[in-house]
Amino acid sequence: MLCVSMAACTQLPGNPPPAAAPAPVAPAAPIVYPPSATATLSIDSAQSLIAITVRRGGLLARLGHDHLVASRHVTGTVSPTQNRADFQFRLDQLTVDEAELRIAAGLEKQPSADAIDGTRNNMLTRVLDAERYPLVTVHAERGAAGQPLQVAIMLHGVTRIMAIPAAIRETAGVMTVTGSVNLKQSDFGITPFSVMAGALAVQDQLELRFTLVAR
């Protein structure tokens, strides 16, 4: 017997009932991060500091001073979900030998104002060429907990990548990163300052410590 319709055929003896249509699948709920985790944080310049201790060297080192160079004008952003940060500071905004920072670094008595001015001028013009290379830029990425930051530093037109141990604290939407690292000026194509054929000079190695606050 011929069926006049599919509906009629499904009702004949011996024909299996039609399969039920699959139930619609509800779309997966999107992952919702807390606002503090998804927001891009901004570096708080007023609470952040990069401090660099510059040591004297040479046969006549006793005639010179160790110096403390600092930036209080760090700007940039931190992305917690991407585990990365990008920030920068200007060389012409660096300070030299702030009294409280020298004390914190354990340096000896404060140099005179004239000595500080001379040091800053030599640093910006004869060493760093700050007019040609005004910015220091930094890109940092965080891996597994407890691992060093992977950091790319561009200074004097040269980029170097290094692993830098750091302590990271996150509280109430505020991230604080602290740490220290030794750098060599020559790694960035910089010739350390010297006079008298090197009898009085600045050591190649610099001691850098940092506190960065983002909110």
mmCIF file of all heavy atoms in Angstrom, residues 79-96:
data_model
loop_
_atom_site.group_PDB
_atom_site.id
_atom_site.type_symbol
_atom_site.label_atom_id
_atom_site.label_comp_id
_atom_site.label_asym_id
_atom_site.label_seq_id
_atom_site.Cartn_x
_atom_site.Cartn_y
_atom_site.Cartn_z
ATOM 1 N N SER A 79 48.207 45.048 32.369
ATOM 2 C CA SER A 79 47.033 44.233 32.029
ATOM 3 C C SER A 79 47.102 42.935 32.824
ATOM 4 O O SER A 79 47.847 42.018 32.456
ATOM 5 C CB SER A 79 46.994 43.935 30.525
ATOM 6 O OG SER A 79 45.922 43.061 30.229
ATOM 7 N N PRO A 80 46.359 42.815 33.927
ATOM 8 C CA PRO A 80 46.423 41.601 34.749
ATOM 9 C C PRO A 80 46.016 40.335 34.006
ATOM 10 O O PRO A 80 46.622 39.280 34.203
ATOM 11 C CB PRO A 80 45.455 41.907 35.899
ATOM 12 C CG PRO A 80 45.395 43.398 35.967
ATOM 13 C CD PRO A 80 45.500 43.849 34.549
ATOM 14 N N THR A 81 45.001 40.405 33.131
ATOM 15 C CA THR A 81 44.547 39.203 32.439
ATOM 16 C C THR A 81 45.542 38.732 31.384
ATOM 17 O O THR A 81 45.603 37.545 31.059
ATOM 18 C CB THR A 81 43.180 39.431 31.782
ATOM 19 O OG1 THR A 81 43.269 40.563 30.897
ATOM 20 C CG2 THR A 81 42.117 39.685 32.829
ATOM 21 N N GLN A 82 46.333 39.652 30.841
ATOM 22 C CA GLN A 82 47.342 39.283 29.848
ATOM 23 C C GLN A 82 48.720 39.100 30.467
ATOM 24 O O GLN A 82 49.687 38.770 29.771
ATOM 25 C CB GLN A 82 47.405 40.352 28.750
ATOM 26 C CG GLN A 82 46.124 40.473 27.951
ATOM 27 C CD GLN A 82 46.223 41.502 26.837
ATOM 28 O OE1 GLN A 82 47.307 41.959 26.491
ATOM 29 N NE2 GLN A 82 45.098 41.872 26.266
ATOM 30 N N ASN A 83 48.816 39.355 31.779
ATOM 31 C CA ASN A 83 50.082 39.184 32.492
ATOM 32 C C ASN A 83 51.214 39.982 31.847
ATOM 33 O O ASN A 83 52.329 39.485 31.664
ATOM 34 C CB ASN A 83 50.467 37.705 32.574
ATOM 35 C CG ASN A 83 49.563 36.929 33.496
ATOM 36 O OD1 ASN A 83 49.204 37.402 34.575
ATOM 37 N ND2 ASN A 83 49.148 35.746 33.072
ATOM 38 N N ARG A 84 50.928 41.238 31.541
ATOM 39 C CA ARG A 84 51.948 42.055 30.894
ATOM 40 C C ARG A 84 51.833 43.501 31.368
ATOM 41 O O ARG A 84 50.795 43.935 31.882
ATOM 42 C CB ARG A 84 51.817 42.001 29.377
ATOM 43 C CG ARG A 84 50.485 42.507 28.848
ATOM 44 C CD ARG A 84 50.454 42.517 27.332
ATOM 45 N NE ARG A 84 51.290 43.596 26.813
ATOM 46 C CZ ARG A 84 51.579 43.737 25.512
ATOM 47 N NH1 ARG A 84 51.151 42.834 24.629
ATOM 48 N NH2 ARG A 84 52.319 44.750 25.094
ATOM 49 N N ALA A 85 52.945 44.215 31.188
ATOM 50 C CA ALA A 85 52.978 45.633 31.524
ATOM 51 C C ALA A 85 53.856 46.347 30.509
ATOM 52 O O ALA A 85 54.833 45.784 29.997
ATOM 53 C CB ALA A 85 53.508 45.848 32.937
ATOM 54 N N ASP A 86 53.514 47.587 30.218
ATOM 55 C CA ASP A 86 54.315 48.436 29.341
ATOM 56 C C ASP A 86 54.416 49.807 29.989
ATOM 57 O O ASP A 86 53.383 50.428 30.303
ATOM 58 C CB ASP A 86 53.661 48.554 27.963
ATOM 59 C CG ASP A 86 53.685 47.245 27.187
ATOM 60 O OD1 ASP A 86 54.732 46.949 26.572
ATOM 61 O OD2 ASP A 86 52.673 46.522 27.224
ATOM 62 N N PHE A 87 55.643 50.268 30.194
ATOM 63 C CA PHE A 87 55.803 51.578 30.819
ATOM 64 C C PHE A 87 57.078 52.243 30.332
ATOM 65 O O PHE A 87 57.910 51.630 29.645
ATOM 66 C CB PHE A 87 55.780 51.475 32.352
ATOM 67 C CG PHE A 87 56.810 50.543 32.936
ATOM 68 C CD1 PHE A 87 58.053 51.003 33.340
ATOM 69 C CD2 PHE A 87 56.512 49.195 33.120
ATOM 70 C CE1 PHE A 87 58.990 50.149 33.888
ATOM 71 C CE2 PHE A 87 57.440 48.331 33.672
ATOM 72 C CZ PHE A 87 58.681 48.817 34.066
ATOM 73 N N GLN A 88 57.232 53.518 30.687
ATOM 74 C CA GLN A 88 58.359 54.299 30.213
ATOM 75 C C GLN A 88 58.651 55.440 31.174
ATOM 76 O O GLN A 88 57.831 55.780 32.032
ATOM 77 C CB GLN A 88 58.070 54.864 28.820
ATOM 78 C CG GLN A 88 56.907 55.851 28.791
ATOM 79 C CD GLN A 88 56.573 56.334 27.392
ATOM 80 O OE1 GLN A 88 56.951 55.725 26.392
ATOM 81 N NE2 GLN A 88 55.874 57.456 27.305
ATOM 82 N N PHE A 89 59.845 56.027 31.018
ATOM 83 C CA PHE A 89 60.172 57.260 31.731
ATOM 84 C C PHE A 89 61.178 58.044 30.907
ATOM 85 O O PHE A 89 61.921 57.485 30.096
ATOM 86 C CB PHE A 89 60.690 56.991 33.149
ATOM 87 C CG PHE A 89 61.926 56.135 33.223
ATOM 88 C CD1 PHE A 89 63.194 56.707 33.226
ATOM 89 C CD2 PHE A 89 61.828 54.756 33.331
ATOM 90 C CE1 PHE A 89 64.333 55.916 33.313
ATOM 91 C CE2 PHE A 89 62.958 53.953 33.410
ATOM 92 C CZ PHE A 89 64.211 54.531 33.406
ATOM 93 N N ARG A 90 61.194 59.350 31.117
ATOM 94 C CA ARG A 90 62.067 60.242 30.368
ATOM 95 C C ARG A 90 63.387 60.446 31.114
ATOM 96 O O ARG A 90 63.407 60.641 32.333
ATOM 97 C CB ARG A 90 61.393 61.597 30.146
ATOM 98 C CG ARG A 90 60.175 61.565 29.219
ATOM 99 C CD ARG A 90 59.681 62.985 28.959
ATOM 100 N NE ARG A 90 60.706 63.789 28.308
ATOM 101 C CZ ARG A 90 60.890 63.861 26.985
ATOM 102 N NH1 ARG A 90 60.112 63.160 26.173
ATOM 103 N NH2 ARG A 90 61.833 64.628 26.489
ATOM 104 N N LEU A 91 64.470 60.458 30.346
ATOM 105 C CA LEU A 91 65.777 60.673 30.954
ATOM 106 C C LEU A 91 65.935 62.101 31.467
ATOM 107 O O LEU A 91 66.591 62.329 32.491
ATOM 108 C CB LEU A 91 66.873 60.356 29.933
ATOM 109 C CG LEU A 91 66.967 58.887 29.501
ATOM 110 C CD1 LEU A 91 68.012 58.720 28.409
ATOM 111 C CD2 LEU A 91 67.302 57.995 30.689
ATOM 112 N N ASP A 92 65.337 63.075 30.775
ATOM 113 C CA ASP A 92 65.507 64.463 31.206
ATOM 114 C C ASP A 92 64.686 64.789 32.455
ATOM 115 O O ASP A 92 64.762 65.909 32.968
ATOM 116 C CB ASP A 92 65.190 65.446 30.079
ATOM 117 C CG ASP A 92 63.777 65.296 29.517
ATOM 118 O OD1 ASP A 92 62.962 64.570 30.125
ATOM 119 O OD2 ASP A 92 63.488 65.898 28.466
ATOM 120 N N GLN A 93 63.915 63.813 32.951
ATOM 121 C CA GLN A 93 63.194 64.007 34.212
ATOM 122 C C GLN A 93 63.871 63.287 35.376
ATOM 123 O O GLN A 93 63.342 63.277 36.491
ATOM 124 C CB GLN A 93 61.748 63.519 34.073
ATOM 125 C CG GLN A 93 60.911 64.362 33.111
ATOM 126 C CD GLN A 93 59.497 63.830 32.959
ATOM 127 O OE1 GLN A 93 59.265 62.624 32.942
ATOM 128 N NE2 GLN A 93 58.532 64.734 32.845
ATOM 129 N N LEU A 94 65.024 62.680 35.123
ATOM 130 C CA LEU A 94 65.736 61.997 36.196
ATOM 131 C C LEU A 94 66.262 62.997 37.224
ATOM 132 O O LEU A 94 66.706 64.093 36.868
ATOM 133 C CB LEU A 94 66.914 61.203 35.630
ATOM 134 C CG LEU A 94 66.582 60.001 34.742
ATOM 135 C CD1 LEU A 94 67.863 59.433 34.141
ATOM 136 C CD2 LEU A 94 65.846 58.929 35.526
ATOM 137 N N THR A 95 66.219 62.607 38.478
ATOM 138 C CA THR A 95 66.833 63.409 39.534
ATOM 139 C C THR A 95 68.172 62.773 39.914
ATOM 140 O O THR A 95 68.403 61.589 39.689
ATOM 141 C CB THR A 95 65.937 63.482 40.773
ATOM 142 O OG1 THR A 95 65.812 62.171 41.351
ATOM 143 C CG2 THR A 95 64.556 64.010 40.425
ATOM 144 N N VAL A 96 69.046 63.570 40.490
ATOM 145 C CA VAL A 96 70.364 63.097 40.914
ATOM 146 C C VAL A 96 70.568 63.436 42.389
ATOM 147 O O VAL A 96 70.419 64.594 42.798
ATOM 148 C CB VAL A 96 71.481 63.728 40.055
ATOM 149 C CG1 VAL A 96 72.868 63.325 40.581
ATOM 150 C CG2 VAL A 96 71.340 63.314 38.601
#
